[in-house]
Amino acid sequence: MVAAAAASVVAGVALLPNWSAGASTVAEPAVDPATKATFQKLADAVFTDRTDALVDGGRQARQQRLAARFSGDVRLSGTLTHREKSALSQLRDRKQRLAALGERYSKANTTVTLDRTRVHGRKATVRVTETTTLTYAKATGNQPKTTGFQAHHELTFKADRNGDWQLTGIRDTDDGIAVNQLAKPTVAKPDTADDNPPAAARSATTWPAPANPKNFSATGYDYKAMAAYAQKYWNNYNPDYPDFNGHGAGGDCTNFVSQALKAGGWKHVPGYTNDWHKWFGNADIQSDSFVGVNEFSWFALSSKRVTSLANVYQLDVGDVLQMDFNRDGSKDHSMIVTYRSPQGVPYLTYHSTNTYNRSLASIIASYPNAYYYAYRT
């Protein structure tokens, strides 16, 4: 964990490049191994700050790190400093919402590795992988002790006339929802026509939920196998299936959920890939319903393999949760339940961003305005 908080890496006018007429100019700033290492350390500080904003005592710990200071000719730009202050404020608000739901994190660890650096003149584009683990406070019995994820980011650095690099932009390259990620902006999506697919019933997010216990022997499916598959492959992808993460691939969340359901006994329904009444997937070919968020919902409901739950807190192991961030009727994300606490809180595991055992309370606190669709499998 980097000792310096990102908020401490800049101070006042030190952020301002020297554009005065008499300033010396460095023609082409160098990006040597030491500079790349500093890029990585600053990124580590930024994402560590974001994580610590969610942790009990995190703010105090961040203040203690101010003494170490971030050193080097790489720093946050003034604009990004203000954005990160706003981000930390949002995350501290999220921490309060989580506390109201009875969830706290006692500690966390964030590390950042540098994957690639490309330099064009005075601009450097840096791709990094963030790995974060948070420890649940007061976890008892066989409840999950930790939650964690891996997220990928693209950072933009620009050099001033003195050759000093400033971090000017941060972009998440995953399609998923990380614990310390800021809420996605609401952007309307165009309407899409289809042959009257079934509409999923929206689920309430109120706590506590009316009782709706799951009969684990009624369907013949192996729900423990579904959870075990998700726990095994949440971060180490199964090579027997394609990986739909990355630019333009649409995200791997539903592909991952379908794999887990298949591991627990869901059978293929072969046919045309674009026929959402069909469902199949392997290394070579996948139906739209196997990998698409909305198409999965349409298949699962029309085939009677799932029923809608009235409340998301009724979810149990092997059940599926989907989210509509924009509240426009087009679902955006799929997750599978891998644990349910004795207190009735489901924990979810998913791809894009790769995450294991994240509590439902955390997700709702992070996205209180999203629409939720809970399915009993």
Side-chain angles (χ1 to χ4, degrees):
M1 198 178 277
V2 174
S8 70
V9 301
V10 291
V13 296
L15 288 171
L16 300 176
N18 185 357
W19 295 111
S20 63
S24 60
T25 301
V26 177
E28 290 294 338
V31 180
D32 54 18
T35 303
K36 290 182 180 180
T38 310
F39 286 168
Q40 178 269 327
K41 290 178 182 178
L42 179 54
D44 199 310
V46 169
F47 295 114
T48 294
D49 276 352
R50 289 189 181 184
T51 303
D52 281 355
L54 297 169
V55 177
D56 284 351
R59 189 172 185 179
Q60 294 177 353
R62 192 162 56 252
Q63 293 295 330
Q64 292 169 2
R65 288 198 302 274
L66 290 176
R69 310 292 292 181
F70 190 88
S71 61
D73 295 331
V74 180
R75 63 192 69 195
L76 286 172
S77 71
T79 299
L80 197 61
T81 298
H82 291 299
R83 290 179 183 172
E84 283 304 304
K85 286 182 179 178
S86 176
L88 295 179
S89 177
Q90 290 182 44
L91 291 168
R92 285 192 287 269
D93 288 344
R94 181 179 301 174
K95 174 185 170 184
Q96 292 178 355
R97 292 197 298 271
L98 273 171
L101 294 169
E103 180 168 314
R104 289 183 169 85
Y105 304 120
S106 60
K107 61 181 179 179
N109 182 64
T110 292
T111 58
V112 172
T113 58
L114 191 149
D115 301 324
R116 190 191 73 188
T117 301
R118 289 183 175 176
V119 181
H120 300 282
R122 296 181 178 276
K123 178 180 179 180
T125 302
V126 178
R127 290 194 174 182
V128 300
T129 298
E130 171 198 0
T131 303
T132 288
T133 301
L134 296 105
T135 300
Y136 289 116
K138 300 180 180 179
T140 59
N142 62 349
Q143 289 181 249
K145 303 299 187 295
T146 62
T147 182
F149 63 89
Q150 274 196 339
H152 302 89
H153 312 280
E154 185 176 271
L155 282 60
T156 303
F157 291 85
K158 293 183 179 179
D160 62 22
R161 286 194 172 186
N162 299 313
D164 295 337
W165 290 95
Q166 297 185 14
L167 176 57
T168 59
I170 300 172
R171 184 175 69 88
D172 302 324
T173 59
D174 296 322
D175 294 316
I177 50 171
V179 177
N180 65 356
Q181 187 181 53
L182 305 183
K184 296 178 182 295
T186 299
V187 179
K189 294 184 178 180
D191 293 334
T192 56
D194 213 292
D195 58 336
N196 298 317
R202 192 149 50 95
S203 304
T205 58
T206 53
W207 169 265
N212 190 354
K214 184 171 185 175
N215 187 336
F216 283 85
S217 61
T219 62
Y221 297 134
D222 188 342
Y223 298 105
K224 289 184 178 179
M226 294 177 185
Y229 182 95
Q231 295 284 21
K232 180 178 181 179
Y233 291 110
W234 75 269
N235 192 32
N236 300 305
Y237 283 32
N238 188 342
D240 292 337
Y241 295 92
D243 174 2
F244 289 102
N245 277 325
H247 296 291
D252 199 64
C253 62
T254 307
N255 182 40
F256 174 66
V257 167
S258 290
Q259 293 171 35
L261 294 172
K262 182 178 171 182
W266 276 35
K267 302 300 183 184
H268 282 175
V269 181
Y272 291 108
T273 57
N274 62 354
D275 182 356
W276 53 261
H277 301 90
K278 312 302 179 183
W279 184 86
F280 53 91
N282 54 37
D284 302 314
I285 189 170
Q286 306 81 34
S287 65
D288 291 351
S289 60
F290 199 90
V291 300
V293 183
N294 291 289
E295 292 85 351
F296 172 87
S297 173
W298 300 340
F299 166 79
L301 288 167
S302 65
S303 66
K304 310 299 183 185
R305 290 194 181 181
V306 304
T307 55
S308 294
L309 291 170
N311 190 294
V312 293
Y313 282 100
Q314 295 170 337
L315 288 160
D316 210 323
V317 174
D319 290 339
V320 174
L321 179 66
Q322 293 189 320
M323 295 175 64
D324 174 5
F325 297 120
N326 304 310
R327 304 197 304 181
D328 63 355
S330 180
K331 303 170 191 67
D332 303 295
H333 187 50
S334 302
M335 300 164 278
I336 190 165
V337 178
T338 45
Y339 178 79
R340 178 181 170 88
S341 75
Q343 294 74 32
V345 177
Y347 289 71
L348 296 112
T349 299
Y350 52 88
H351 278 183
S352 312
T353 304
N354 305 336
T355 299
Y356 66 92
N357 282 343
R358 183 177 181 182
S359 77
L360 178 59
S362 169
I363 294 170
I364 294 174
S366 301
Y367 294 90
N369 297 320
Y371 284 164
Y372 291 83
Y373 302 85
Y375 307 94
R376 170 65 39 86
T377 60

